[in-house]
Amino acid sequence: MCILFVTFCLQFRLIAKSVKIRTKFIDTGPCGVIHARVLVLDLFTLLHKMAAKGLQIFRRSNCNGLLRSFSISLRFQSTAPVSSFRYDDLQVTLTSNPQPKPDSNKLVFGHHFTDHMLEIEWQKDKGWGRPVISPVHDLQLHPASKVLHYATELFEGMKAYRCVDNKVRLFRPMENMRRMQGTAKRTCLPAFDEEEMLKCLKKLVSIDQEWVPYSDSCSLYIRPTFIGTEPSLGVLMSNRALLYVLLGPVGPYFPTGMKPVTLLADPRHVRAWPGGSGQYKMGSNYAPTIAIQKEAIEQGCQQVLWLYGEDQQLTEVGTMNIMMYWINDEGENELITPPLSGIILPGVTRKSLLELTREWGEIKVTEKTFTMKTLIKALNENRVKELFGAGTACVVCPVEKILHEGKMLEIPTMSEGAPLTNRLYKALLDIQYGRVASPWMEDVDQPSSEGVEKIARKL
């Protein structure tokens, strides 16, 4: 018996060494949910190889009792919850009643949706179900679903673009997948394989690619959403969840050209704080801001400048990251933005603009905290050049005024035409619409024949 056990262990070591298992991370997380991504060869494949080798040893040793025990153990292991859904299991049902496409010149953000949606269900005892693409339909939720009571929910915002060669491409989609994974962990929702999710998402966009506007100013907005659906009350992890994706065509953020905005900066209102959830894209971060946004509009402003702390640190503009181009205390031209300290959303546009500016190598780029006192002092010394927000919806949004403690501060962003703001805006749009080749763009599918004909007629 001992000799048999030792032999089996040695064989196991040989098999384990011969099998290349690569993981990006495995983490049990705060809720005891296993977070594992990108298993090139999963545990069951390894068990299968172990079993095959083990059976050979058992047969040679005529240990039928141990063989039966091992088989029972192996069958027990195979009932474990599925750790991630797979693109290969995708089930597609196409609509029999396609909708007419809206006029690209009359698109309103969030009011138009394509014909299909993606859904994947999860249960704690079974794991992930198969991904399904089907016609858009209403969700059926129990009134006690966790999402309706405790905001067990998260979402993402990303876009697909019809490029100048008529190919539909996504902009840095894995950045959104990684951010979504991090928010899922914080929300106690289950992990998933990011690459498999992206494959399913690309298939959905491919099916509805005729909804991507034939325009160099419009795009297809993509809204992945993840909700807890367990029908029970109690502030606990949801044992059931639904991940789904909606698509919708959207027009330009500035339909008549880039326009600067006025901000309300009221230190009484705080969007996020250290140790909270401000760095995650979850619905519970947005609902409390709506009343303050309404107050800003009533005071003649368009957006809220969110401040934090007794020193009134600038954090975000509305739902955007904030950036300032100025001459710093050392006399250097500098682009500055708050660091990702836990109260700032790690925006994909933010990251891209910083990387572009660093690549140009013409001005200093810094991620550090700056306050209203710093801003006011620099304004009085004529050292502020431009102030702007950055986000998926608008790319950049220039700021011309800030209402702060009863005083209107004039920001000289547009005094010289906002050269850096406009340069960043053009550079990113050139990448997104394929006028400049970039590894940031990922193909969804080959252009359809109908699309080629439309482009030909347009030309």
Side-chain angles (χ1 to χ4, degrees), residues 267 270 307-313:
V270 179
L307 306 177
Y308 171 75
E310 294 183 2
D311 57 350
Q312 298 185 18
Q313 301 168 23

Side-chain angles (χ1 to χ4, degrees), residues 18 33 40 70 81 93 206 233 236 256 279 307 358 379 441:
S18 69
V33 179
V40 173
F70 183 81
T93 302
S206 176
L233 301 180
L236 299 168
T256 58
Q279 63 184 318
L307 306 177
R358 288 188 177 111
L379 284 171
M441 303 303 292

Side-chain angles (χ1 to χ4, degrees), residues 31 38 54 60 63 65 130 185 218 233 264 344 366 374 384 449 451:
C31 309
V38 193
R60 287 198 299 266
C63 294
R130 62 166 27 185
K185 182 177 179 181
C218 302
L233 301 180
L264 172 64
I344 305 295
T366 306
T374 302
V384 176
S449 57

Side-chain angles (χ1 to χ4, degrees), residues 104 161-169 209-210 212-218 433 435 446-459:
S104 295
Y161 302 83
R162 189 173 297 282
C163 296
V164 293
D165 59 359
N166 194 38
K167 289 185 178 180
V168 175
R169 295 184 176 94
Q209 65 178 282
E210 286 303 315
V212 184
Y214 287 82
S215 166
D216 61 359
S217 60
C218 302
Y433 287 98
R435 293 186 287 267
Q446 296 297 320
S448 65
S449 57
E450 179 183 354
V452 172
E453 292 172 3
K454 284 186 179 181
I455 289 291
R457 288 196 298 269
K458 186 176 178 181
L459 296 175

Side-chain angles (χ1 to χ4, degrees), residues 314-334:
L314 283 74
T315 61
E316 294 194 2
V317 178
T319 59
M320 300 176 285
N321 296 119
I322 187 167
M323 297 185 175
M324 180 169 70
Y325 179 37
W326 71 326
I327 301 173
N328 63 22
D329 293 332
E330 289 73 39
E332 303 167 301
N333 288 331
E334 180 181 48

